[in-house]
Amino acid sequence: MPRNLTLVLLGMLCLCIVLIYHSANRKHAVTSYIRTSPIGKEVICRDVKVSDKPVNDGISTLDDIFISVRTSRKFHEPRVVPIVKTWFNLAKKQTYIFTDGEDDKLNETTGGHVINTHCGPTKSQEHLSCKTGTVFDTYLASGKKWWCRFDDDNYVNPPRLVHLVNGYNWTQNICIGRLSVPYFTAVYHDRSETYQFAHGGAGCCISRPLALKMKPWCGRENLVVTTREAAMAEDCALGFIITNRLKIDLTLTDLLHSSMETLKDLNPDTLYEQVSIGQGPDNTVNLDKAKSGKKFNPNVDPTRFMSLHCFLYSTASICKT
């Protein structure tokens, strides 16, 4: 074989090897950078290219769900502690508590899963939007398939939560929730708009593709702007973004329960099936007729979360005290 031809063939072979190498690495390429996390610490983050058309890779597990609990410093003892004593133990790695004040004891108890958003402690539109927007940003950074958001007055049954999201394809635009009223109206940019929203007090779950589409209106800064321009609460704004801006229908379920319902009317025999159950003053689940599980004195267990947990999981450590 002529020497020149041999050199050409060797050159082409080298070029092919280089192209194949770069193609393979580009597929999995990540960019590392430093950013400040919501808790004020510098962390190394990695940008992973997310496909516009993610592939459904089968059944979702608990590790595929980012569970957020939104609270305020003043509610750590009366509301968050009962959660940490009960259902949090079934989803320690997946659950994060977003608050507005430091609490070293609670942070240690939860294994570092308390995030101070530094958004402010009031129920003002700006503070709550900042807090929920921070939760949204943290979820996106997690890379998980589902964001399931709850308040500090929700008891959540993690195995049932996994069962719920597995009824849907996470690669689609999905928001699973429960309505409080059929429709709302708002004036947005001088136009009257109609929308629906999944009542935040009952909890809701949002798939990653949908969350990515929400970014122009959501996030720590953007959600504050959206709620101010639309003059609405932040949980309403999430529904407004989804059903009005993105024209995506909610996926409704009756397995999420808030304190807007008369919770004592829930049949104890169906509690095993529920995903979330709220609580409020003089409005808690009634376990008086439950045939099993340890029942705590209401003075010790005002939320009834400990009694409910022992009804559902009688072998839990708290039920043996």
Side-chain angles (χ1 to χ4, degrees), residues 153-165:
D153 57 357
N154 290 127
Y155 179 94
V156 180
N157 191 341
R160 293 299 300 170
L161 181 64
V162 174
H163 184 270
L164 175 68
V165 300

Side-chain angles (χ1 to χ4, degrees), residues 116-128:
N116 183 0
T117 62
H118 299 282
C119 288
T122 73
K123 288 187 176 182
S124 70
Q125 184 184 85
E126 181 177 357
H127 286 175
L128 292 179

Side-chain angles (χ1 to χ4, degrees), residues 128-188:
L128 292 179
S129 299
C130 170
K131 195 178 292 182
T132 299
T134 302
V135 178
F136 177 84
D137 290 340
T138 310
Y139 159 66
L140 286 184
S142 75
K144 295 196 175 188
K145 298 176 183 178
W146 292 96
W147 170 31
C148 293
R149 58 182 298 268
F150 299 95
D151 284 340
D152 57 8
D153 57 357
N154 290 127
Y155 179 94
V156 180
N157 191 341
R160 293 299 300 170
L161 181 64
V162 174
H163 184 270
L164 175 68
V165 300
N166 271 315
Y168 307 95
N169 184 345
W170 76 272
T171 67
Q172 305 300 314
N173 299 315
I174 304 291
C175 176
I176 309 169
R178 187 163 188 165
L179 298 178
S180 55
V181 298
Y183 290 96
F184 280 87
T185 58
V187 176
Y188 183 69

Side-chain angles (χ1 to χ4, degrees), residues 65-115:
I65 306 174
F66 183 91
I67 304 173
S68 66
V69 176
R70 195 188 65 178
T71 188
S72 185
R73 180 63 181 84
K74 65 181 179 181
F75 291 128
H76 286 189
E77 189 66 30
R79 295 186 182 183
V80 179
V81 168
I83 287 174
V84 173
K85 288 181 177 179
T86 58
W87 69 263
F88 176 84
N89 293 294
L90 300 175
K92 288 183 178 180
K93 294 193 303 180
Q94 299 81 14
T95 305
Y96 289 84
I97 298 164
F98 290 80
T99 186
D100 47 46
E102 297 296 337
D103 189 335
D104 293 338
K105 181 180 178 181
L106 182 62
N107 195 42
E108 182 179 356
T109 304
T110 60
H113 279 222
V114 175
I115 297 177

